[in-house]
Amino acid sequence: MSGILSNPRKMKDTRTNRRFRSRFEEAGSLIFMIPILFNLLRLGQVSNLFLDPEKISLLLALGLITLFLYKPEYSEMNSRLKIIRDFAPLFYILVMYSNLPVLIQSLNPKDADHILLAMDQYLFGMQLSVALQEYMFEPLITFSTISYATYYFFPPVLAILIYAKGKYEIFRKLSAAMFLSFFIGYIGYIIAPAIGPR
């Protein structure tokens, strides 16, 4: 401590490191959110930023990330802010997903359905979505829909249970892993946007 106090440069470096200490989820979110915001501004949708709930959520997410990056000590000193910061990546994931079409339309506006159809045809010799239609019945569709929906609920529930048990290091690893899986998925959406066989 005395070494830092006697050396103003060390003290300044310590403040800088503390001030701009970011988490993987926050830095990753900015990679998507900043281009989305710039595209909205470029397209002249400034009014939507304050009227559309999806765009308002984008501004809120950017505000939270800015606060936590610039003043991380706030979340360290205040237990409620710490919980908000820990679980905010779940919010960022939803914000990015709902606003992703803005980025896709700018970077890769042509859908890749025809390529995916050709791949199905090459791999299976048929269109699976068409071939499987005769086997579809209501209970199976309902079961499939519920099974798919659990994809959105299980990770947050697991995260809450781990957090409640005080296993913070495991929680942080789970949070980063969840974010990375969505991050890769969103990159996939941008590279090959598709409507799918609805």
Side-chain angles (χ1 to χ4, degrees), residues 20-35 62 65 69 85 89 92 96 172 179 183:
F20 293 102
R21 187 172 63 233
S22 68
R23 295 181 180 181
F24 166 71
E25 302 94 310
E26 293 163 349
S29 296
L30 291 177
I31 291 173
F32 283 95
M33 290 182 191
I34 290 175
L62 285 168
I65 293 172
L69 289 184
R85 188 180 190 188
Y92 303 152
M96 287 185 289
R172 289 289 307 122
F179 187 88
F183 191 86

mmCIF file with all atom_site columns, all heavy atoms in Angstrom, residues 20-35 62 65 69 85 89 92 96 172 179 183:
data_model
loop_
_atom_site.group_PDB
_atom_site.id
_atom_site.type_symbol
_atom_site.label_atom_id
_atom_site.label_alt_id
_atom_site.label_comp_id
_atom_site.label_asym_id
_atom_site.label_entity_id
_atom_site.label_seq_id
_atom_site.pdbx_PDB_ins_code
_atom_site.Cartn_x
_atom_site.Cartn_y
_atom_site.Cartn_z
_atom_site.occupancy
_atom_site.B_iso_or_equiv
_atom_site.pdbx_formal_charge
_atom_site.auth_seq_id
_atom_site.auth_comp_id
_atom_site.auth_asym_id
_atom_site.auth_atom_id
_atom_site.pdbx_PDB_model_num
ATOM 1   N N   . PHE A 1 20  ? -11.688 0.180   -15.798 1.00 0.00 ? 20  PHE A N   1
ATOM 2   C CA  . PHE A 1 20  ? -12.049 -0.399  -17.090 1.00 0.00 ? 20  PHE A CA  1
ATOM 3   C C   . PHE A 1 20  ? -12.014 -1.932  -17.092 1.00 0.00 ? 20  PHE A C   1
ATOM 4   O O   . PHE A 1 20  ? -11.900 -2.537  -18.125 1.00 0.00 ? 20  PHE A O   1
ATOM 5   C CB  . PHE A 1 20  ? -11.142 0.170   -18.189 1.00 0.00 ? 20  PHE A CB  1
ATOM 6   C CG  . PHE A 1 20  ? -11.368 1.634   -18.422 1.00 0.00 ? 20  PHE A CG  1
ATOM 7   C CD1 . PHE A 1 20  ? -10.507 2.569   -17.915 1.00 0.00 ? 20  PHE A CD1 1
ATOM 8   C CD2 . PHE A 1 20  ? -12.482 2.066   -19.116 1.00 0.00 ? 20  PHE A CD2 1
ATOM 9   C CE1 . PHE A 1 20  ? -10.726 3.931   -18.114 1.00 0.00 ? 20  PHE A CE1 1
ATOM 10  C CE2 . PHE A 1 20  ? -12.714 3.413   -19.323 1.00 0.00 ? 20  PHE A CE2 1
ATOM 11  C CZ  . PHE A 1 20  ? -11.824 4.350   -18.813 1.00 0.00 ? 20  PHE A CZ  1
ATOM 12  N N   . ARG A 1 21  ? -12.118 -2.523  -15.905 1.00 0.00 ? 21  ARG A N   1
ATOM 13  C CA  . ARG A 1 21  ? -12.147 -3.975  -15.822 1.00 0.00 ? 21  ARG A CA  1
ATOM 14  C C   . ARG A 1 21  ? -13.497 -4.469  -16.350 1.00 0.00 ? 21  ARG A C   1
ATOM 15  O O   . ARG A 1 21  ? -14.549 -4.121  -15.821 1.00 0.00 ? 21  ARG A O   1
ATOM 16  C CB  . ARG A 1 21  ? -11.950 -4.412  -14.372 1.00 0.00 ? 21  ARG A CB  1
ATOM 17  C CG  . ARG A 1 21  ? -11.804 -5.934  -14.238 1.00 0.00 ? 21  ARG A CG  1
ATOM 18  C CD  . ARG A 1 21  ? -11.406 -6.321  -12.831 1.00 0.00 ? 21  ARG A CD  1
ATOM 19  N NE  . ARG A 1 21  ? -12.444 -5.940  -11.884 1.00 0.00 ? 21  ARG A NE  1
ATOM 20  C CZ  . ARG A 1 21  ? -12.220 -5.211  -10.795 1.00 0.00 ? 21  ARG A CZ  1
ATOM 21  N NH1 . ARG A 1 21  ? -11.029 -4.750  -10.537 1.00 0.00 ? 21  ARG A NH1 1
ATOM 22  N NH2 . ARG A 1 21  ? -13.211 -4.936  -9.963  1.00 0.00 ? 21  ARG A NH2 1
ATOM 23  N N   . SER A 1 22  ? -13.477 -5.244  -17.412 1.00 0.00 ? 22  SER A N   1
ATOM 24  C CA  . SER A 1 22  ? -14.731 -5.706  -18.026 1.00 0.00 ? 22  SER A CA  1
ATOM 25  C C   . SER A 1 22  ? -14.839 -7.214  -17.904 1.00 0.00 ? 22  SER A C   1
ATOM 26  O O   . SER A 1 22  ? -13.861 -7.909  -17.647 1.00 0.00 ? 22  SER A O   1
ATOM 27  C CB  . SER A 1 22  ? -14.788 -5.302  -19.492 1.00 0.00 ? 22  SER A CB  1
ATOM 28  O OG  . SER A 1 22  ? -13.813 -6.007  -20.227 1.00 0.00 ? 22  SER A OG  1
ATOM 29  N N   . ARG A 1 23  ? -16.037 -7.684  -18.103 1.00 0.00 ? 23  ARG A N   1
ATOM 30  C CA  . ARG A 1 23  ? -16.295 -9.117  -18.142 1.00 0.00 ? 23  ARG A CA  1
ATOM 31  C C   . ARG A 1 23  ? -16.472 -9.529  -19.592 1.00 0.00 ? 23  ARG A C   1
ATOM 32  O O   . ARG A 1 23  ? -16.849 -8.721  -20.433 1.00 0.00 ? 23  ARG A O   1
ATOM 33  C CB  . ARG A 1 23  ? -17.556 -9.448  -17.341 1.00 0.00 ? 23  ARG A CB  1
ATOM 34  C CG  . ARG A 1 23  ? -17.401 -9.168  -15.858 1.00 0.00 ? 23  ARG A CG  1
ATOM 35  C CD  . ARG A 1 23  ? -18.652 -9.527  -15.096 1.00 0.00 ? 23  ARG A CD  1
ATOM 36  N NE  . ARG A 1 23  ? -18.498 -9.267  -13.679 1.00 0.00 ? 23  ARG A NE  1
ATOM 37  C CZ  . ARG A 1 23  ? -19.437 -9.502  -12.782 1.00 0.00 ? 23  ARG A CZ  1
ATOM 38  N NH1 . ARG A 1 23  ? -20.612 -9.994  -13.158 1.00 0.00 ? 23  ARG A NH1 1
ATOM 39  N NH2 . ARG A 1 23  ? -19.225 -9.246  -11.512 1.00 0.00 ? 23  ARG A NH2 1
ATOM 40  N N   . PHE A 1 24  ? -16.243 -10.807 -19.843 1.00 0.00 ? 24  PHE A N   1
ATOM 41  C CA  . PHE A 1 24  ? -16.354 -11.335 -21.200 1.00 0.00 ? 24  PHE A CA  1
ATOM 42  C C   . PHE A 1 24  ? -17.731 -11.041 -21.795 1.00 0.00 ? 24  PHE A C   1
ATOM 43  O O   . PHE A 1 24  ? -17.844 -10.632 -22.952 1.00 0.00 ? 24  PHE A O   1
ATOM 44  C CB  . PHE A 1 24  ? -16.090 -12.849 -21.158 1.00 0.00 ? 24  PHE A CB  1
ATOM 45  C CG  . PHE A 1 24  ? -16.486 -13.565 -22.410 1.00 0.00 ? 24  PHE A CG  1
ATOM 46  C CD1 . PHE A 1 24  ? -15.753 -13.401 -23.579 1.00 0.00 ? 24  PHE A CD1 1
ATOM 47  C CD2 . PHE A 1 24  ? -17.596 -14.400 -22.434 1.00 0.00 ? 24  PHE A CD2 1
ATOM 48  C CE1 . PHE A 1 24  ? -16.115 -14.063 -24.748 1.00 0.00 ? 24  PHE A CE1 1
ATOM 49  C CE2 . PHE A 1 24  ? -17.969 -15.061 -23.592 1.00 0.00 ? 24  PHE A CE2 1
ATOM 50  C CZ  . PHE A 1 24  ? -17.219 -14.893 -24.744 1.00 0.00 ? 24  PHE A CZ  1
ATOM 51  N N   . GLU A 1 25  ? -18.785 -11.227 -20.984 1.00 0.00 ? 25  GLU A N   1
ATOM 52  C CA  . GLU A 1 25  ? -20.148 -11.031 -21.470 1.00 0.00 ? 25  GLU A CA  1
ATOM 53  C C   . GLU A 1 25  ? -20.413 -9.577  -21.852 1.00 0.00 ? 25  GLU A C   1
ATOM 54  O O   . GLU A 1 25  ? -21.149 -9.301  -22.801 1.00 0.00 ? 25  GLU A O   1
ATOM 55  C CB  . GLU A 1 25  ? -21.177 -11.466 -20.419 1.00 0.00 ? 25  GLU A CB  1
ATOM 56  C CG  . GLU A 1 25  ? -21.038 -12.916 -19.986 1.00 0.00 ? 25  GLU A CG  1
ATOM 57  C CD  . GLU A 1 25  ? -20.184 -13.065 -18.729 1.00 0.00 ? 25  GLU A CD  1
ATOM 58  O OE1 . GLU A 1 25  ? -19.067 -12.497 -18.682 1.00 0.00 ? 25  GLU A OE1 1
ATOM 59  O OE2 . GLU A 1 25  ? -20.632 -13.742 -17.792 1.00 0.00 ? 25  GLU A OE2 1
ATOM 60  N N   . GLU A 1 26  ? -19.816 -8.651  -21.107 1.00 0.00 ? 26  GLU A N   1
ATOM 61  C CA  . GLU A 1 26  ? -20.021 -7.224  -21.389 1.00 0.00 ? 26  GLU A CA  1
ATOM 62  C C   . GLU A 1 26  ? -19.290 -6.809  -22.662 1.00 0.00 ? 26  GLU A C   1
ATOM 63  O O   . GLU A 1 26  ? -19.854 -6.139  -23.525 1.00 0.00 ? 26  GLU A O   1
ATOM 64  C CB  . GLU A 1 26  ? -19.557 -6.391  -20.191 1.00 0.00 ? 26  GLU A CB  1
ATOM 65  C CG  . GLU A 1 26  ? -20.430 -6.593  -18.966 1.00 0.00 ? 26  GLU A CG  1
ATOM 66  C CD  . GLU A 1 26  ? -19.811 -6.129  -17.671 1.00 0.00 ? 26  GLU A CD  1
ATOM 67  O OE1 . GLU A 1 26  ? -18.600 -5.818  -17.636 1.00 0.00 ? 26  GLU A OE1 1
ATOM 68  O OE2 . GLU A 1 26  ? -20.537 -6.080  -16.662 1.00 0.00 ? 26  GLU A OE2 1
ATOM 69  N N   . ALA A 1 27  ? -18.033 -7.237  -22.768 1.00 0.00 ? 27  ALA A N   1
ATOM 70  C CA  . ALA A 1 27  ? -17.258 -6.909  -23.966 1.00 0.00 ? 27  ALA A CA  1
ATOM 71  C C   . ALA A 1 27  ? -17.885 -7.552  -25.206 1.00 0.00 ? 27  ALA A C   1
ATOM 72  O O   . ALA A 1 27  ? -17.996 -6.920  -26.259 1.00 0.00 ? 27  ALA A O   1
ATOM 73  C CB  . ALA A 1 27  ? -15.810 -7.384  -23.798 1.00 0.00 ? 27  ALA A CB  1
ATOM 74  N N   . GLY A 1 28  ? -18.329 -8.809  -25.075 1.00 0.00 ? 28  GLY A N   1
ATOM 75  C CA  . GLY A 1 28  ? -18.960 -9.498  -26.193 1.00 0.00 ? 28  GLY A CA  1
ATOM 76  C C   . GLY A 1 28  ? -20.256 -8.838  -26.631 1.00 0.00 ? 28  GLY A C   1
ATOM 77  O O   . GLY A 1 28  ? -20.556 -8.753  -27.820 1.00 0.00 ? 28  GLY A O   1
ATOM 78  N N   . SER A 1 29  ? -21.031 -8.361  -25.657 1.00 0.00 ? 29  SER A N   1
ATOM 79  C CA  . SER A 1 29  ? -22.291 -7.680  -25.980 1.00 0.00 ? 29  SER A CA  1
ATOM 80  C C   . SER A 1 29  ? -22.038 -6.417  -26.793 1.00 0.00 ? 29  SER A C   1
ATOM 81  O O   . SER A 1 29  ? -22.791 -6.113  -27.726 1.00 0.00 ? 29  SER A O   1
ATOM 82  C CB  . SER A 1 29  ? -23.044 -7.325  -24.689 1.00 0.00 ? 29  SER A CB  1
ATOM 83  O OG  . SER A 1 29  ? -23.426 -8.486  -23.996 1.00 0.00 ? 29  SER A OG  1
ATOM 84  N N   . LEU A 1 30  ? -20.992 -5.701  -26.438 1.00 0.00 ? 30  LEU A N   1
ATOM 85  C CA  . LEU A 1 30  ? -20.681 -4.456  -27.160 1.00 0.00 ? 30  LEU A CA  1
ATOM 86  C C   . LEU A 1 30  ? -20.346 -4.718  -28.621 1.00 0.00 ? 30  LEU A C   1
ATOM 87  O O   . LEU A 1 30  ? -20.630 -3.888  -29.482 1.00 0.00 ? 30  LEU A O   1
ATOM 88  C CB  . LEU A 1 30  ? -19.524 -3.721  -26.473 1.00 0.00 ? 30  LEU A CB  1
ATOM 89  C CG  . LEU A 1 30  ? -19.832 -3.115  -25.101 1.00 0.00 ? 30  LEU A CG  1
ATOM 90  C CD1 . LEU A 1 30  ? -18.581 -2.491  -24.498 1.00 0.00 ? 30  LEU A CD1 1
ATOM 91  C CD2 . LEU A 1 30  ? -20.949 -2.084  -25.190 1.00 0.00 ? 30  LEU A CD2 1
ATOM 92  N N   . ILE A 1 31  ? -19.758 -5.893  -28.902 1.00 0.00 ? 31  ILE A N   1
ATOM 93  C CA  . ILE A 1 31  ? -19.403 -6.246  -30.280 1.00 0.00 ? 31  ILE A CA  1
ATOM 94  C C   . ILE A 1 31  ? -20.649 -6.262  -31.168 1.00 0.00 ? 31  ILE A C   1
ATOM 95  O O   . ILE A 1 31  ? -20.589 -5.927  -32.349 1.00 0.00 ? 31  ILE A O   1
ATOM 96  C CB  . ILE A 1 31  ? -18.670 -7.606  -30.321 1.00 0.00 ? 31  ILE A CB  1
ATOM 97  C CG1 . ILE A 1 31  ? -17.287 -7.469  -29.684 1.00 0.00 ? 31  ILE A CG1 1
ATOM 98  C CG2 . ILE A 1 31  ? -18.562 -8.140  -31.738 1.00 0.00 ? 31  ILE A CG2 1
ATOM 99  C CD1 . ILE A 1 31  ? -16.544 -8.778  -29.510 1.00 0.00 ? 31  ILE A CD1 1
ATOM 100 N N   . PHE A 1 32  ? -21.790 -6.637  -30.590 1.00 0.00 ? 32  PHE A N   1
ATOM 101 C CA  . PHE A 1 32  ? -23.046 -6.644  -31.334 1.00 0.00 ? 32  PHE A CA  1
ATOM 102 C C   . PHE A 1 32  ? -23.820 -5.339  -31.177 1.00 0.00 ? 32  PHE A C   1
ATOM 103 O O   . PHE A 1 32  ? -24.371 -4.810  -32.139 1.00 0.00 ? 32  PHE A O   1
ATOM 104 C CB  . PHE A 1 32  ? -23.936 -7.809  -30.872 1.00 0.00 ? 32  PHE A CB  1
ATOM 105 C CG  . PHE A 1 32  ? -23.522 -9.147  -31.414 1.00 0.00 ? 32  PHE A CG  1
ATOM 106 C CD1 . PHE A 1 32  ? -22.710 -9.978  -30.679 1.00 0.00 ? 32  PHE A CD1 1
ATOM 107 C CD2 . PHE A 1 32  ? -23.941 -9.562  -32.659 1.00 0.00 ? 32  PHE A CD2 1
ATOM 108 C CE1 . PHE A 1 32  ? -22.319 -11.215 -31.172 1.00 0.00 ? 32  PHE A CE1 1
ATOM 109 C CE2 . PHE A 1 32  ? -23.563 -10.794 -33.172 1.00 0.00 ? 32  PHE A CE2 1
ATOM 110 C CZ  . PHE A 1 32  ? -22.747 -11.621 -32.420 1.00 0.00 ? 32  PHE A CZ  1
ATOM 111 N N   . MET A 1 33  ? -23.887 -4.843  -29.949 1.00 0.00 ? 33  MET A N   1
ATOM 112 C CA  . MET A 1 33  ? -24.774 -3.711  -29.666 1.00 0.00 ? 33  MET A CA  1
ATOM 113 C C   . MET A 1 33  ? -24.330 -2.404  -30.316 1.00 0.00 ? 33  MET A C   1
ATOM 114 O O   . MET A 1 33  ? -25.173 -1.634  -30.798 1.00 0.00 ? 33  MET A O   1
ATOM 115 C CB  . MET A 1 33  ? -24.915 -3.520  -28.152 1.00 0.00 ? 33  MET A CB  1
ATOM 116 C CG  . MET A 1 33  ? -25.694 -4.612  -27.470 1.00 0.00 ? 33  MET A CG  1
ATOM 117 S SD  . MET A 1 33  ? -25.863 -4.262  -25.712 1.00 0.00 ? 33  MET A SD  1
ATOM 118 C CE  . MET A 1 33  ? -26.516 -5.815  -25.122 1.00 0.00 ? 33  MET A CE  1
ATOM 119 N N   . ILE A 1 34  ? -23.041 -2.144  -30.332 1.00 0.00 ? 34  ILE A N   1
ATOM 120 C CA  . ILE A 1 34  ? -22.561 -0.883  -30.923 1.00 0.00 ? 34  ILE A CA  1
ATOM 121 C C   . ILE A 1 34  ? -22.850 -0.837  -32.429 1.00 0.00 ? 34  ILE A C   1
ATOM 122 O O   . ILE A 1 34  ? -23.392 0.156   -32.925 1.00 0.00 ? 34  ILE A O   1
ATOM 123 C CB  . ILE A 1 34  ? -21.074 -0.646  -30.598 1.00 0.00 ? 34  ILE A CB  1
ATOM 124 C CG1 . ILE A 1 34  ? -20.934 -0.331  -29.094 1.00 0.00 ? 34  ILE A CG1 1
ATOM 125 C CG2 . ILE A 1 34  ? -20.496 0.481   -31.433 1.00 0.00 ? 34  ILE A CG2 1
ATOM 126 C CD1 . ILE A 1 34  ? -19.518 -0.197  -28.605 1.00 0.00 ? 34  ILE A CD1 1
ATOM 127 N N   . PRO A 1 35  ? -22.535 -1.901  -33.199 1.00 0.00 ? 35  PRO A N   1
ATOM 128 C CA  . PRO A 1 35  ? -22.915 -1.872  -34.629 1.00 0.00 ? 35  PRO A CA  1
ATOM 129 C C   . PRO A 1 35  ? -24.426 -1.763  -34.849 1.00 0.00 ? 35  PRO A C   1
ATOM 130 O O   . PRO A 1 35  ? -24.864 -1.103  -35.795 1.00 0.00 ? 35  PRO A O   1
ATOM 131 C CB  . PRO A 1 35  ? -22.375 -3.207  -35.166 1.00 0.00 ? 35  PRO A CB  1
ATOM 132 C CG  . PRO A 1 35  ? -21.284 -3.586  -34.232 1.00 0.00 ? 35  PRO A CG  1
ATOM 133 C CD  . PRO A 1 35  ? -21.715 -3.077  -32.890 1.00 0.00 ? 35  PRO A CD  1
ATOM 134 N N   . LEU A 1 62  ? -26.949 -0.911  -23.096 1.00 0.00 ? 62  LEU A N   1
ATOM 135 C CA  . LEU A 1 62  ? -25.715 -0.141  -23.301 1.00 0.00 ? 62  LEU A CA  1
ATOM 136 C C   . LEU A 1 62  ? -25.413 0.733   -22.088 1.00 0.00 ? 62  LEU A C   1
ATOM 137 O O   . LEU A 1 62  ? -24.252 0.883   -21.693 1.00 0.00 ? 62  LEU A O   1
ATOM 138 C CB  . LEU A 1 62  ? -25.829 0.713   -24.564 1.00 0.00 ? 62  LEU A CB  1
ATOM 139 C CG  . LEU A 1 62  ? -25.692 -0.047  -25.884 1.00 0.00 ? 62  LEU A CG  1
ATOM 140 C CD1 . LEU A 1 62  ? -26.116 0.825   -27.060 1.00 0.00 ? 62  LEU A CD1 1
ATOM 141 C CD2 . LEU A 1 62  ? -24.262 -0.538  -26.082 1.00 0.00 ? 62  LEU A CD2 1
ATOM 142 N N   . ILE A 1 65  ? -24.011 -1.574  -19.292 1.00 0.00 ? 65  ILE A N   1
ATOM 143 C CA  . ILE A 1 65  ? -22.633 -1.986  -19.586 1.00 0.00 ? 65  ILE A CA  1
ATOM 144 C C   . ILE A 1 65  ? -21.676 -0.818  -19.352 1.00 0.00 ? 65  ILE A C   1
ATOM 145 O O   . ILE A 1 65  ? -20.598 -0.983  -18.764 1.00 0.00 ? 65  ILE A O   1
ATOM 146 C CB  . ILE A 1 65  ? -22.500 -2.516  -21.028 1.00 0.00 ? 65  ILE A CB  1
ATOM 147 C CG1 . ILE A 1 65  ? -23.293 -3.821  -21.171 1.00 0.00 ? 65  ILE A CG1 1
ATOM 148 C CG2 . ILE A 1 65  ? -21.038 -2.747  -21.396 1.00 0.00 ? 65  ILE A CG2 1
ATOM 149 C CD1 . ILE A 1 65  ? -23.406 -4.332  -22.590 1.00 0.00 ? 65  ILE A CD1 1
ATOM 150 N N   . LEU A 1 69  ? -18.666 -0.941  -16.703 1.00 0.00 ? 69  LEU A N   1
ATOM 151 C CA  . LEU A 1 69  ? -17.293 -0.860  -17.201 1.00 0.00 ? 69  LEU A CA  1
ATOM 152 C C   . LEU A 1 69  ? -16.562 0.337   -16.608 1.00 0.00 ? 69  LEU A C   1
ATOM 153 O O   . LEU A 1 69  ? -15.387 0.252   -16.252 1.00 0.00 ? 69  LEU A O   1
ATOM 154 C CB  . LEU A 1 69  ? -17.279 -0.762  -18.731 1.00 0.00 ? 69  LEU A CB  1
ATOM 155 C CG  . LEU A 1 69  ? -17.667 -2.012  -19.511 1.00 0.00 ? 69  LEU A CG  1
ATOM 156 C CD1 . LEU A 1 69  ? -17.517 -1.770  -21.000 1.00 0.00 ? 69  LEU A CD1 1
ATOM 157 C CD2 . LEU A 1 69  ? -16.822 -3.198  -19.104 1.00 0.00 ? 69  LEU A CD2 1
ATOM 158 N N   . ARG A 1 85  ? -25.570 -6.944  -12.063 1.00 0.00 ? 85  ARG A N   1
ATOM 159 C CA  . ARG A 1 85  ? -24.456 -7.130  -13.002 1.00 0.00 ? 85  ARG A CA  1
ATOM 160 C C   . ARG A 1 85  ? -24.226 -8.608  -13.314 1.00 0.00 ? 85  ARG A C   1
ATOM 161 O O   . ARG A 1 85  ? -23.948 -8.976  -14.464 1.00 0.00 ? 85  ARG A O   1
ATOM 162 C CB  . ARG A 1 85  ? -23.172 -6.521  -12.433 1.00 0.00 ? 85  ARG A CB  1
ATOM 163 C CG  . ARG A 1 85  ? -22.046 -6.531  -13.448 1.00 0.00 ? 85  ARG A CG  1
ATOM 164 C CD  . ARG A 1 85  ? -20.762 -5.943  -12.922 1.00 0.00 ? 85  ARG A CD  1
ATOM 165 N NE  . ARG A 1 85  ? -19.799 -5.760  -14.012 1.00 0.00 ? 85  ARG A NE  1
ATOM 166 C CZ  . ARG A 1 85  ? -18.541 -5.418  -13.847 1.00 0.00 ? 85  ARG A CZ  1
ATOM 167 N NH1 . ARG A 1 85  ? -18.064 -5.165  -12.647 1.00 0.00 ? 85  ARG A NH1 1
ATOM 168 N NH2 . ARG A 1 85  ? -17.734 -5.285  -14.879 1.00 0.00 ? 85  ARG A NH2 1
ATOM 169 N N   . PRO A 1 89  ? -26.153 -10.414 -18.165 1.00 0.00 ? 89  PRO A N   1
ATOM 170 C CA  . PRO A 1 89  ? -25.920 -11.077 -19.455 1.00 0.00 ? 89  PRO A CA  1
ATOM 171 C C   . PRO A 1 89  ? -27.152 -11.780 -20.026 1.00 0.00 ? 89  PRO A C   1
ATOM 172 O O   . PRO A 1 89  ? -27.311 -11.867 -21.240 1.00 0.00 ? 89  PRO A O   1
ATOM 173 C CB  . PRO A 1 89  ? -24.806 -12.078 -19.132 1.00 0.00 ? 89  PRO A CB  1
ATOM 174 C CG  . PRO A 1 89  ? -24.033 -11.415 -18.051 1.00 0.00 ? 89  PRO A CG  1
ATOM 175 C CD  . PRO A 1 89  ? -25.072 -10.713 -17.211 1.00 0.00 ? 89  PRO A CD  1
ATOM 176 N N   . TYR A 1 92  ? -28.800 -9.089  -21.780 1.00 0.00 ? 92  TYR A N   1
ATOM 177 C CA  . TYR A 1 92  ? -28.056 -8.723  -22.987 1.00 0.00 ? 92  TYR A CA  1
ATOM 178 C C   . TYR A 1 92  ? -28.330 -9.711  -24.120 1.00 0.00 ? 92  TYR A C   1
ATOM 179 O O   . TYR A 1 92  ? -28.443 -9.316  -25.285 1.00 0.00 ? 92  TYR A O   1
ATOM 180 C CB  . TYR A 1 92  ? -26.546 -8.686  -22.709 1.00 0.00 ? 92  TYR A CB  1
ATOM 181 C CG  . TYR A 1 92  ? -26.119 -7.765  -21.595 1.00 0.00 ? 92  TYR A CG  1
ATOM 182 C CD1 . TYR A 1 92  ? -24.968 -8.021  -20.859 1.00 0.00 ? 92  TYR A CD1 1
ATOM 183 C CD2 . TYR A 1 92  ? -26.863 -6.629  -21.266 1.00 0.00 ? 92  TYR A CD2 1
ATOM 184 C CE1 . TYR A 1 92  ? -24.564 -7.175  -19.836 1.00 0.00 ? 92  TYR A CE1 1
ATOM 185 C CE2 . TYR A 1 92  ? -26.465 -5.786  -20.238 1.00 0.00 ? 92  TYR A CE2 1
ATOM 186 C CZ  . TYR A 1 92  ? -25.315 -6.071  -19.526 1.00 0.00 ? 92  TYR A CZ  1
ATOM 187 O OH  . TYR A 1 92  ? -24.914 -5.241  -18.501 1.00 0.00 ? 92  TYR A OH  1
ATOM 188 N N   . MET A 1 96  ? -29.802 -8.533  -27.704 1.00 0.00 ? 96  MET A N   1
ATOM 189 C CA  . MET A 1 96  ? -29.094 -8.778  -28.961 1.00 0.00 ? 96  MET A CA  1
ATOM 190 C C   . MET A 1 96  ? -29.970 -9.578  -29.926 1.00 0.00 ? 96  MET A C   1
ATOM 191 O O   . MET A 1 96  ? -30.026 -9.277  -31.115 1.00 0.00 ? 96  MET A O   1
ATOM 192 C CB  . MET A 1 96  ? -27.773 -9.499  -28.705 1.00 0.00 ? 96  MET A CB  1
ATOM 193 C CG  . MET A 1 96  ? -26.717 -8.609  -28.073 1.00 0.00 ? 96  MET A CG  1
ATOM 194 S SD  . MET A 1 96  ? -25.118 -9.426  -27.909 1.00 0.00 ? 96  MET A SD  1
ATOM 195 C CE  . MET A 1 96  ? -25.457 -10.606 -26.617 1.00 0.00 ? 96  MET A CE  1
ATOM 196 N N   . ARG A 1 172 ? -19.969 -17.963 -12.595 1.00 0.00 ? 172 ARG A N   1
ATOM 197 C CA  . ARG A 1 172 ? -19.309 -17.105 -13.579 1.00 0.00 ? 172 ARG A CA  1
ATOM 198 C C   . ARG A 1 172 ? -18.918 -17.908 -14.823 1.00 0.00 ? 172 ARG A C   1
ATOM 199 O O   . ARG A 1 172 ? -19.048 -17.430 -15.946 1.00 0.00 ? 172 ARG A O   1
ATOM 200 C CB  . ARG A 1 172 ? -18.054 -16.449 -12.965 1.00 0.00 ? 172 ARG A CB  1
ATOM 201 C CG  . ARG A 1 172 ? -18.357 -15.383 -11.939 1.00 0.00 ? 172 ARG A CG  1
ATOM 202 C CD  . ARG A 1 172 ? -18.933 -14.090 -12.520 1.00 0.00 ? 172 ARG A CD  1
ATOM 203 N NE  . ARG A 1 172 ? -18.091 -13.575 -13.566 1.00 0.00 ? 172 ARG A NE  1
ATOM 204 C CZ  . ARG A 1 172 ? -18.516 -13.359 -14.812 1.00 0.00 ? 172 ARG A CZ  1
ATOM 205 N NH1 . ARG A 1 172 ? -19.754 -13.587 -15.164 1.00 0.00 ? 172 ARG A NH1 1
ATOM 206 N NH2 . ARG A 1 172 ? -17.688 -12.891 -15.719 1.00 0.00 ? 172 ARG A NH2 1
ATOM 207 N N   . PHE A 1 179 ? -23.164 -17.385 -22.542 1.00 0.00 ? 179 PHE A N   1
ATOM 208 C CA  . PHE A 1 179 ? -23.036 -16.240 -23.432 1.00 0.00 ? 179 PHE A CA  1
ATOM 209 C C   . PHE A 1 179 ? -22.288 -16.631 -24.698 1.00 0.00 ? 179 PHE A C   1
ATOM 210 O O   . PHE A 1 179 ? -22.673 -16.250 -25.802 1.00 0.00 ? 179 PHE A O   1
ATOM 211 C CB  . PHE A 1 179 ? -22.310 -15.099 -22.716 1.00 0.00 ? 179 PHE A CB  1
ATOM 212 C CG  . PHE A 1 179 ? -22.287 -13.838 -23.520 1.00 0.00 ? 179 PHE A CG  1
ATOM 213 C CD1 . PHE A 1 179 ? -23.327 -12.921 -23.426 1.00 0.00 ? 179 PHE A CD1 1
ATOM 214 C CD2 . PHE A 1 179 ? -21.253 -13.570 -24.398 1.00 0.00 ? 179 PHE A CD2 1
ATOM 215 C CE1 . PHE A 1 179 ? -23.334 -11.766 -24.189 1.00 0.00 ? 179 PHE A CE1 1
ATOM 216 C CE2 . PHE A 1 179 ? -21.247 -12.418 -25.160 1.00 0.00 ? 179 PHE A CE2 1
ATOM 217 C CZ  . PHE A 1 179 ? -22.290 -11.509 -25.050 1.00 0.00 ? 179 PHE A CZ  1
ATOM 218 N N   . PHE A 1 183 ? -23.471 -16.290 -28.466 1.00 0.00 ? 183 PHE A N   1
ATOM 219 C CA  . PHE A 1 183 ? -22.601 -15.446 -29.285 1.00 0.00 ? 183 PHE A CA  1
ATOM 220 C C   . PHE A 1 183 ? -22.281 -16.153 -30.608 1.00 0.00 ? 183 PHE A C   1
ATOM 221 O O   . PHE A 1 183 ? -22.405 -15.570 -31.683 1.00 0.00 ? 183 PHE A O   1
ATOM 222 C CB  . PHE A 1 183 ? -21.327 -15.169 -28.483 1.00 0.00 ? 183 PHE A CB  1
ATOM 223 C CG  . PHE A 1 183 ? -20.424 -14.120 -29.057 1.00 0.00 ? 183 PHE A CG  1
ATOM 224 C CD1 . PHE A 1 183 ? -20.619 -12.785 -28.771 1.00 0.00 ? 183 PHE A CD1 1
ATOM 225 C CD2 . PHE A 1 183 ? -19.347 -14.465 -29.861 1.00 0.00 ? 183 PHE A CD2 1
ATOM 226 C CE1 . PHE A 1 183 ? -19.779 -11.806 -29.283 1.00 0.00 ? 183 PHE A CE1 1
ATOM 227 C CE2 . PHE A 1 183 ? -18.506 -13.502 -30.382 1.00 0.00 ? 183 PHE A CE2 1
ATOM 228 C CZ  . PHE A 1 183 ? -18.719 -12.167 -30.086 1.00 0.00 ? 183 PHE A CZ  1
#
